[in-house]
Amino acid sequence: MSAQAHTVAVRASGVDMFFGTPDNQVVALKQADFEARRGELIMLVGPSGCGKTTLLSVIAGTLTPQAGTVEVFGQRLDGLGQEELTSFRRKNLGFVFQSFNLIPTLSVIENVMVPLLIQGRPYDEAHARSLAIIDKVGLKGREDGRPNALSGGQQQRVAIARALVHEPPLLICDEPTSALDKDTGAHIMQLVRDLSRSPERCVVVVTHDHRIFRFADRIAEMEDGRISRVVDDPKLLDTTHL
Amino acid sequence: MYRLALNMLFGDRAKLAMLLCGLAFSALLMAQQSSVFFGIMSWTYTPMVNIRAQVWVSDPMVEQVNDAKPLRDTDLGRVRSVDGVAWAAPLHTSFVQARMQDGNFKLITLVGIDADTFAGAPAVLTQGRIEDLRLPDTVIVDEWGASLMGRMGVGPDGKPRSTPLKVGDTFEINDIQARIVGICKVRRAFTGGPFVYTTYDRAKGYTLGARRTLSFMLVEPQKGVTPDELCGRIERDTGLKAWTSDTVIWNWGERSLARNTFWWFWTNTGIPFSFGTAVLLGLFVGIAISGQTFYSFVLENLKYFAAIKAMGAGMGVIARMLFVQAFTAGLIGFGLGAGMAQAIGRAMIEKGMPPFVMFPQILWATFALVLGISFVSAIIGIIKVSRVDAASVFRG
């Protein structure tokens, strides 16, 4: 195995993804190639409808592409059955959603416990680990409250705690700051960066929010269903169309 | 995850209340209607309960206890001669009009019992003595009948009021005086009329014109002979029909007159259809309300279930979560509904109307049906969640 292979966390090659019927086909991804490295925070940017979310779903194993290969931490996802994909997500992925998706009828800590309980961890262990990560995201003392009683920024912190509590190698963030103001968004991205920074982890963030580009190690720009370019410096991006 | 599933359920109090209302109402309707149904059906064989004897003998064409086809008096001797009979006593039952002192008429169930043995006499007398039936023109009236046949008058408030009959009061049956010497406590009957006990011979007098007055024979088997065995011997030796008197609905045998009476009313009246419809209505209302509420609960939580799916929960885990939620709601709903049915039943029993018999089997059946409703509700939710694409969580 080459040294490069050891550094690659996510690799998608020649991925095609289309929706609808053959007569009325919408192409979401067209021969898309994407690569994310271990230990990096990479952002996927581009105009609406360019295929960012579809590529994110393919990497997360919630969508199966019609063509191409997807490999996450050495595991080929194409060809896996639904059960295997579910199991793969359970062990390897953490999610931060745009609209947080915190269950309003559960307490903060119960929301954070969900990935551990899905993994079949005992309740007490899940509780202790969740409590520790809630402390890390700065919400100690709020664990028994309901998510609705928290501000948007605090809710997103809970979502981050939930995404990281089971220590997944790949963290998927879908528009994590779109519902937050500038300062809160910056705090959240700083938190993601701090908590997820590890050689054994990779963070993929889909965003429109150019205010947070500075937190990225690299930025992959998408256009018409494919990666058009990857830059190391956000200043090199033309953000007028994003 | 099950603990979280329950917390999700209990966290949405409005939905939970709606869900429990649907299930409780359904359980209440099914348990209460079934209990009233069995109560009414148990009234159909009330004579078997009030007139106690181990074996009843009737005309072979008799189908149920309220439909006596008179026998010849000589049949009594034939039955007494059957091997295994300890004693046999005549019994007369008929529906006759009684004329009250105020000129009003009431339909009564006239019961004529053997004056020597008093076989078939009421078990509990609240006033008077059974032996006084041997006095001329005497009867014993049941407690409820005494108030039904009571004298109409005016109460202290100026409103019409009925004063129950008491020992010493008189009325007429076929223009023959009947003087009350006792008040007894018996179970009310489907036919509704008061029970008026007298001697067999006097009953003959009260039913002038009837050629035959022997409705049934009450028979006691000798020691070591079972009622069932004796029935077989009587039928073989006399050609008459012999019945056992077991009235416990879940344990009665093939020869039980109560059982035959129950099924006669089941097949020849609209009672089962009427109550069956109410029970089915309860079931459908339960499915509709609970199914709809649970579906709406699932719909409201759909994006969270999709998120849980995306995080790696298989459909098996989610299905079990939904079953836990539905069955927990079902259990609580059943408890509330059955409790309410029991409370209503107690109130009914105190008033005596309508009859209410809640067998454990009714509760078990209601429980099973409520769980069935919960199962259907859960399945509806599972179908909905199974169709949700985990990728939908990325679509905002």
Side-chain angles (χ1 to χ4, degrees):
Chain A
M1 200 176 277
S2 68
Q4 193 197 4
H6 282 296
T7 63
V8 172
V10 179
R11 178 181 284 142
S13 310
V15 173
D16 283 348
M17 189 79 215
F18 51 82
F19 300 103
T21 58
D23 299 338
N24 186 20
Q25 207 168 66
V26 177
V27 178
L29 296 175
K30 195 174 166 186
Q31 288 297 299
D33 297 318
F34 172 77
E35 197 175 278
R37 299 171 195 148
R38 290 169 191 253
E40 82 170 346
L41 190 157
I42 185 165
M43 287 186 185
L44 266 173
V45 302
S48 293
C50 70
K52 301 186 298 289
T53 299
T54 306
L55 182 58
L56 196 71
S57 302
V58 167
I59 293 167
T62 56
L63 280 182
T64 305
Q66 276 89 14
T69 60
V70 182
E71 194 179 312
V72 178
F73 284 93
Q75 167 75 59
R76 285 277 297 267
L77 300 191
D78 48 293
L80 290 185
Q82 276 308 312
E83 269 186 37
E84 291 161 311
L85 281 172
T86 301
S87 167
F88 170 79
R89 288 200 301 270
R90 186 158 57 229
K91 290 172 194 154
N92 298 292
L93 266 63
F95 294 93
V96 178
F97 305 107
Q98 179 180 354
S99 50
F100 319 137
N101 280 343
L102 299 173
I103 302 170
T105 47
L106 297 184
S107 67
V108 165
I109 194 160
E110 285 168 340
N111 268 284
V112 176
M113 286 162 72
V114 167
L116 292 170
L117 295 176
I118 288 174
Q119 285 186 349
R121 304 274 178 182
Y123 191 89
D124 289 344
E125 182 200 327
H127 193 273
R129 284 175 63 176
S130 301
L131 207 56
I133 198 148
I134 286 170
D135 189 13
K136 273 191 187 171
V137 299
L139 288 174
K140 193 175 180 183
R142 311 299 296 266
E143 61 271 11
D144 293 326
R146 292 285 173 92
N148 292 348
L150 303 177
S151 68
Q154 287 173 323
Q155 288 189 45
Q156 196 58 298
R157 286 182 194 210
V158 177
I160 290 166
R162 182 179 63 182
L164 294 173
V165 71
H166 56 306
E167 299 175 349
L170 180 60
L171 182 64
I172 300 268
C173 304
D174 181 31
E175 305 278 9
T177 58
S178 67
L180 308 175
D181 62 58
K182 183 187 159 200
D183 289 342
T184 312
H187 278 127
I188 289 298
M189 282 314 297
Q190 189 61 52
L191 194 65
V192 168
R193 219 178 132 94
D194 293 346
L195 291 177
S196 60
R197 204 44 111 158
S198 146
E200 293 310 312
R201 186 169 284 158
C202 171
V203 183
V204 181
V205 179
V206 162
T207 186
H208 275 106
D209 188 356
H210 57 84
R211 299 170 303 182
I212 63 166
F213 286 175
R214 64 191 162 95
F215 293 98
D217 296 310
R218 290 189 304 145
I219 298 175
E221 192 176 3
M222 285 193 78
E223 209 175 300
D224 297 332
R226 68 180 71 184
I227 303 290
S228 54
R229 64 176 174 150
V230 180
V231 297
D232 293 334
D233 184 352
K235 288 177 190 140
L236 298 174
L237 281 177
D238 173 12
T239 56
T240 52
H241 64 287
L242 296 179
Chain B
M1 286 302 283
Y2 305 130
R3 197 156 154 182
L4 295 197
L6 289 179
N7 288 349
M8 277 175 83
L9 177 72
F10 290 116
D12 190 345
R13 296 207 177 140
K15 279 271 179 319
L16 179 67
M18 183 76 182
L19 194 59
L20 292 182
C21 276
L23 289 162
F25 176 72
S26 185
L28 167 68
L29 202 60
M30 289 189 288
Q32 193 260 356
Q33 287 294 303
S34 303
S35 300
V36 173
F37 167 71
F38 280 103
I40 287 179
M41 291 302 276
S42 73
W43 272 9
T44 63
Y45 53 85
T46 281
M48 307 288 307
V49 178
N50 291 345
I51 305 161
R52 293 151 305 127
Q54 291 210 51
V55 172
W56 289 53
V57 179
S58 73
D59 181 273
M61 301 308 287
V62 163
E63 291 176 286
Q64 47 110 344
V65 72
N66 303 290
D67 171 39
K69 293 183 170 57
L71 300 150
R72 289 173 302 188
D73 280 354
T74 51
D75 287 331
L76 191 58
R78 292 169 62 214
V79 170
R80 281 173 176 157
S81 67
V82 173
D83 185 34
V85 171
W87 53 256
L91 178 78
H92 169 86
T93 61
S94 62
F95 300 109
V96 292
Q97 292 280 359
R99 186 169 178 269
M100 304 294 104
Q101 280 196 336
D102 59 7
N104 198 9
F105 283 87
K106 287 270 192 275
L107 187 72
I108 61 166
T109 303
L110 182 66
V111 182
I113 57 173
D114 182 36
D116 297 329
T117 59
F118 289 126
V124 180
L125 259 72
T126 54
Q127 291 177 44
R129 296 182 316 137
I130 191 74
E131 291 80 8
D132 289 345
L133 268 190
R134 292 188 180 124
L135 299 171
D137 301 334
T138 53
V139 293
I140 290 173
V141 180
D142 81 88
E143 215 169 48
W144 177 75
S147 48
L148 194 74
M149 296 160 76
R151 244 190 308 241
M152 286 307 291
V154 180
D157 52 0
K159 289 180 182 169
R161 201 177 68 174
S162 167
T163 310
L165 294 181
K166 57 184 188 307
V167 171
D169 286 342
T170 58
F171 57 93
E172 287 176 4
I173 304 170
N174 271 333
D175 295 332
I176 303 169
Q177 193 191 51
R179 185 164 54 89
I180 299 171
V181 290
I183 304 290
C184 64
K185 219 172 191 165
V186 293
R187 193 165 86 175
R188 285 168 67 177
F190 183 76
T191 43
F195 276 84
V196 176
Y197 286 83
T198 190
T199 59
Y200 179 73
D201 289 332
R202 197 171 304 121
K204 280 181 174 179
Y206 283 138
T207 52
L208 290 172
R211 280 185 59 239
R212 294 179 181 184
T213 51
L214 183 59
S215 311
F216 292 95
M217 285 171 269
L218 306 179
V219 180
E220 180 74 13
Q222 285 174 351
K223 263 192 180 162
V225 180
T226 65
D228 209 46
E229 201 180 328
L230 185 61
C231 285
R233 289 185 197 175
I234 292 170
E235 287 184 0
R236 191 187 60 221
D237 294 356
T238 65
L240 298 170
K241 183 79 185 163
W243 311 85
T244 58
S245 59
D246 30 333
T247 53
V248 181
I249 196 161
W250 308 106
N251 290 324
W252 51 32
E254 284 284 313
R255 290 184 187 276
S256 164
L257 183 52
R259 175 183 179 272
N260 276 269
T261 304
F262 180 95
W263 287 112
W264 188 92
F265 275 85
W266 181 284
T267 45
N268 292 289
T269 68
I271 301 169
F273 179 78
S274 165
F275 281 90
T277 307
V279 171
L280 274 182
L281 197 69
L283 184 64
F284 291 140
V285 166
I287 289 175
I289 298 179
S290 312
Q292 202 276 334
T293 312
F294 198 71
Y295 182 69
S296 116
F297 168 80
V298 169
L299 270 191
E300 228 163 71
N301 287 292
L302 205 56
K303 66 175 181 171
Y304 308 118
F305 281 118
I308 291 171
K309 264 175 109 172
M311 285 183 231
M315 261 320 288
V317 170
I318 292 173
R320 287 196 290 275
M321 284 175 75
L322 290 170
F323 273 126
V324 164
Q325 289 170 338
F327 284 138
T328 303
L331 205 63
I332 299 171
F334 165 75
L336 291 173
M340 282 190 283
Q342 189 71 258
I344 292 171
R346 279 182 191 279
M348 282 177 175
I349 288 166
E350 271 173 29
K351 281 181 70 182
M353 269 294 275
F356 190 90
V357 179
M358 188 182 268
F359 296 113
Q361 285 87 341
I362 291 176
L363 287 176
W364 282 114
T366 306
F367 181 59
L369 288 171
V370 170
L371 286 191
I373 293 170
S374 305
F375 180 79
V376 170
S377 305
I379 291 291
I380 292 169
I382 289 164
I383 291 170
K384 186 70 192 169
V385 176
S386 70
R387 288 180 180 161
V388 172
D389 189 355
S392 67
V393 288
F394 295 121
R395 292 178 200 137

